[in-house]
């Protein structure tokens, strides 16, 4: 099913000049926060910057430009609040009517288009998979919860010693030891 773009939102594009002058390039620039970001589970630390050129040709509106955003997140290891800057390329085609081969096409109707869904889809697809305050974040101690980036605790040393002393019989994978030898072909 094709995706119909609504008429309400933060990023509104008036395409009437492009409809009147087919094949002519126009520019669009806006800074705002998308209306429906909550349903995407995206939090913004600053307004989103959207800048692109667009051309109308043969019932299609072609957008090419950039999206810049500063996202609010939480470090996946130590739970500190962080912000992530993203700068992504925007390249989309909007259709007046759905092409047969594309179920996920963006459809527009009229001379004003809300681009919030396009902006949020592109940000969502380009968000970092893992949010880290720093690349070598040590995280939290699983026993006492102390932030291991700021101080050490005796819990971690005790856990490391227990794991080293653990008997192979208690290990659920111990039964697999020796199952294959170097002489056998697998």
């Amino acid at each position: 099913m094709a995706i119909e773009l609504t008429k309400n939102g933060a990023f509104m594009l008036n395409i009437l000049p492009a409809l009147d002058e087919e094949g002519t390039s126009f520019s669009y620039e806006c800074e705002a926060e998308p209306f429906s970001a909550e349903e995407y589970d995206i939090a913004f630390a600053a307004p989103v910057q959207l800048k692109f050129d667009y051309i109308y040709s043969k019932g299609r509106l072609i957008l090419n430009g950039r999206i810049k955003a500063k996202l609010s997140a939480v470090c996946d290891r130590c739970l500190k609040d962080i912000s992530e800057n993203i700068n992504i390329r925007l390249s989309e085609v909007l259709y007046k009517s759905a092409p047969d081969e594309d179920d996920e096409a963006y459809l527009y109707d009229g001379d004003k288009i809300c681009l919030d869904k396009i902006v949020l889809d592109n940000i969502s697809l380009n968000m970092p998979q893992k949010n880290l305050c720093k690349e070598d974040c040590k995280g939290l101690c699983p026993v006492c919860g102390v932030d291991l980036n700021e101080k050490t605790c005796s819990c971690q040393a005790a856990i490391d010693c227990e794991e080293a002393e653990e008997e192979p019989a208690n290990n659920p994978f111990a039964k697999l030891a020796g199952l294959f030898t170097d002489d056998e072909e697998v």
Side-chain angles (χ1 to χ4, degrees):
M1 176 165 179
I3 302 162
E4 292 189 36
L5 300 173
T6 63
K7 298 200 187 264
N8 300 332
F11 296 104
M12 292 299 295
L13 174 62
N14 181 357
I15 62 168
L16 188 57
L19 296 175
D20 290 341
E21 296 181 42
E22 186 170 347
T24 303
S25 179
F26 293 88
S27 294
Y28 176 82
E29 192 170 337
C30 185
E31 184 173 289
E33 197 165 309
F35 278 30
S36 56
E38 297 85 29
E39 71 183 62
Y40 283 81
D41 197 25
I42 299 173
F44 296 102
V48 175
Q49 297 174 352
L50 182 59
K51 185 176 184 179
F52 62 84
D53 294 325
Y54 63 99
I55 297 172
Y56 175 78
S57 177
K58 300 177 185 171
R60 300 176 306 153
L61 190 67
I62 303 161
L63 314 177
N64 286 303
R66 301 218 63 81
I67 299 172
K68 293 181 183 180
K70 187 173 191 175
L71 307 177
S72 292
V74 174
C75 178
D76 289 334
R77 292 184 185 158
C78 70
L79 305 179
K80 285 183 183 172
D81 289 332
I82 59 172
S83 61
E84 300 264 352
N85 290 317
I86 61 171
N87 183 352
I88 54 178
R89 180 162 166 54
L90 172 68
S91 184
E92 296 288 350
V93 178
L94 289 68
Y95 298 91
K96 185 79 171 167
S97 59
D100 295 333
E101 72 278 354
D102 194 354
D103 289 352
E104 297 297 317
Y106 291 111
L107 301 180
Y108 70 91
D109 185 29
D111 56 5
K112 290 188 180 165
I113 302 169
C114 172
L115 301 173
D116 286 25
K117 176 141 182 62
I118 292 172
V119 170
L120 290 168
D121 284 351
N122 276 273
I123 290 173
S124 179
L125 289 171
N126 288 283
M127 286 175 48
Q129 291 183 349
K130 186 173 223 78
N131 297 312
L132 297 176
C133 60
K134 57 185 179 179
E135 195 63 36
D136 62 343
C137 177
K138 297 176 184 173
L140 303 175
C141 171
V143 177
C144 68
V146 71
D147 186 344
L148 297 173
N149 296 307
E150 297 174 2
K151 57 184 170 180
T152 58
C153 67
S154 57
C155 302
Q156 190 60 42
I159 291 170
D160 292 342
C161 289
E162 286 174 20
E163 289 174 359
E165 294 173 0
E166 187 177 300
E167 294 181 30
N170 292 338
N171 185 336
F173 298 107
K175 294 176 183 176
L176 298 175
L179 187 61
F180 298 105
T181 62
D182 292 340
D183 297 339
E184 294 180 24
E185 289 184 30
V186 181

